[in-house]
Structure formats: structure tokens, C-alpha cells
Amino acid sequence: MASRSHRRPLRRRRTALASAVALAAVALLVSLMVALRPGSEPETVRAAAERSTTARASAMPTTPKAKAEPQSKRQSKPKPSAVSSAPARTTTPAPARPSPAASPRPAQRAVSDSAPLAGRIKPQVSYTGVATHYEAGDGDGACLYGPSPDLMVAAMNTTDYETSKACGAYILVRAANGASVTVRITNACPSPCAPGQLDLSKEAFAKLVGLSAGRIPITWSLLSPSTSDTVSIRYKSGSSRHWCGVQALGHRNPLARLEVSTGSGWSRLTRTEYNYFLSPDGTGCGGALRLTDIYGEQLTVDGIALRPDAVQPTRVQFARH
């Protein structure tokens, strides 16, 4: 039997060994619990994973953020086609047609159905322009009507004069101050007279404003005045059975046509800038005449003798409008 002194050290060693094993078991158990808890991987594993993720992120190319454009630019920027890189075709919608009521035409372009033969100057239309004045002398002018005691006359700009179609027209002229005057077109006003401009006799201009004004804005319109006169006819100097020029005077409305009888019908004569209608081969000279105004009314005149430079009155006149 062993002595007591030898058993005690052995017991102590066994106790220390058991304690060490127990501590190791507890440590192992704690480690297992920590390892099995969700999201509680060992620090070394987490560190390694984080380093791997960081490395992958740094290896991937990064696209810098585009600078934000203003909203208006972005909206106007064309969208790229998802099918092709070629520019997409765009169809421009046809512009909407404006309503006639929304687009009033200028007064100068208005068409009067009541005067189908009117040229540039039409009835019931107000024109704008300027008025100047000139020394009318005896009242004669490019229309070759001859001297007249009535100096309420005017020269029409050459555009609206329209190869003497304005000759004999009665025009009501209004100034900005409310004054007005009626004149008869007996002359043409060459450049720099502009369309719409009237060069009034000094006597007519003075009815609107003082002559010192020189140039004033006006509006004017065509008149069909009352008159007790009848139309007169005059053959031009040098007229004969072989050639003649015919002129109508004193007509209430602007004259659109002058025709001569040919026996088988009517032949229209050509109007000149000096307001005579010419028959270059003598056709109809000394015969019946037919006059037509801008409203389409026709007057037939017989019995006019072929006497050059003689003013011969008729018994007819155009109707008032």
C-alpha cells in the first residue's frame, strides 16, 4: 500500500488535469456558440471578406455622374433610338390654317364685288398715305383734260394712277385733324411719290391744313358723287378715219373700257398714259362708242362727229353708287 505522501501529489495532478479539461470544454463551447450566432463570423473572416469586397469595388470602372442639364435643355434634347443609332425621322405637323376672321386683309387688298372692273382703286375701301401739294396752274395735267376753273384737283402716284385708269376719279381726302376735301384726279405724281400718296393742288391742301405743313398723313377713298353734268367725248388732235384717239370727260365713275363699233361687234381700244383710247388703224373712228365704268355699267353714244380737239357733250351719265 502506498504511503499517503505519494497519493496526495497524484490526486493533485488529476484535479489540475480535470480542471484544465473543464476549462477547455467551456472555452470550446463558448467558441461554438459565438460561431453559430447569425452575423457573428469571426473577425478574421469578416476582415478578409471586407478586403475582398473592397478590392473588387476598386477594380471595377466607375462612371462619373453627368452634370445635370437645365430642364429646358433636357426636354429639347432628342432621345436616341433604341433600334438604330441613325437619326430618327421626324414629321413636322402642318401649321393650322388661321381663321379668316382672325386674319383680316389690309384695306388696300379688299375686293369689292360691286365693282368687278375696278383696278387698284376700289369703292368702299379706305386707303392710307400722305398728302403733299403742288402748283396746279390751270388745273390741267397728265390726264389731258385741259384747263379748268375748278382747282380741287390732285395728282395720283404712278402706281395707283395705273396707266391713267385713275383719271377722272373723285376722291374724298381726310386729314388727321378731321378736315376733308373732295378732289378729282387730273394728274400723275411720279417718283418719289409712293403708293397711297396724293399730291394735292395748293387750293385743295389748304382745305385740310396750312401749306406750311408741307406733308401730312391722310386717308382717302373713292367717291361716286352727285352731278348734273353728262359725259363728253373728245377726239385727239390729228384724228382721222385712218387713226384716232378718243377721250371721255366728265364721267361720274372711273372709266374701265372704251369700245368702238365695227359693224359686226365692238372692238376694245387700248388706253394710253395720257388718257386717250387709240384706234391705230382707224377702226370705228367717227362711229358709235360704248363706255363701261368700273361697276360694269355700259353707255352707248352715237352721233359724235370726228372733229379733233372739240369737246362734244352727250346726254348720258353713269349711275351713282
Side-chain angles (χ1 to χ4, degrees), residues 33-68:
M33 290 176 66
V34 172
L36 294 175
R37 189 174 61 185
S40 60
E41 54 186 340
E43 289 295 325
T44 56
V45 176
R46 286 204 305 272
E50 288 173 358
R51 286 194 299 270
S52 175
T53 303
T54 304
R56 285 199 305 271
S58 62
M60 293 176 64
T62 58
T63 303
K65 289 185 179 180
K67 187 177 180 180

Side-chain angles (χ1 to χ4, degrees), residues 221-272:
S221 56
L222 180 67
L223 286 182
S224 178
S226 60
T227 178
S228 58
D229 294 338
T230 59
V231 177
S232 296
I233 300 296
R234 177 168 53 195
Y235 278 98
K236 195 176 185 316
S237 175
S239 293
S240 67
R241 295 287 181 182
H242 307 290
W243 176 94
C244 67
V246 189
Q247 182 186 60
L249 304 86
H251 41 84
R252 187 199 310 266
N253 306 317
L255 196 62
R257 295 173 182 168
L258 192 150
E259 300 166 288
V260 293
S261 176
T262 63
S264 59
W266 295 96
S267 177
R268 183 177 175 181
L269 301 186
T270 301
R271 193 172 197 167
T272 66

Side-chain angles (χ1 to χ4, degrees), residues 151-226:
L151 294 182
M152 293 296 109
V153 295
M156 180 68 74
N157 67 87
T158 53
T159 300
D160 294 325
Y161 183 76
E162 201 174 5
T163 316
S164 77
K165 200 165 189 176
C167 284
Y170 288 90
I171 302 295
L172 175 62
V173 186
R174 297 181 179 88
N177 61 8
S180 65
V181 64
T182 298
V183 296
R184 186 169 60 106
I185 302 302
T186 62
N187 210 346
C189 182
S191 179
C193 277
Q197 182 172 349
L198 293 175
D199 201 20
L200 306 178
S201 67
K202 288 183 177 181
E203 292 77 4
F205 192 92
K207 297 283 186 181
L208 302 176
V209 69
L211 295 179
S212 60
R215 181 185 181 96
I216 60 171
I218 57 167
T219 59
W220 55 272
S221 56
L222 180 67
L223 286 182
S224 178
S226 60

Side-chain angles (χ1 to χ4, degrees), residues 89-132:
R89 282 186 183 177
T90 57
T91 303
T92 304
R97 291 184 178 180
S99 168
S103 303
R105 293 181 297 179
Q108 297 91 308
R109 297 182 178 274
V111 176
S112 174
D113 293 333
S114 62
L117 300 181
R120 289 180 58 87
I121 304 175
K122 306 179 188 303
Q124 301 176 358
V125 175
S126 180
Y127 298 89
T128 59
V130 296
T132 50

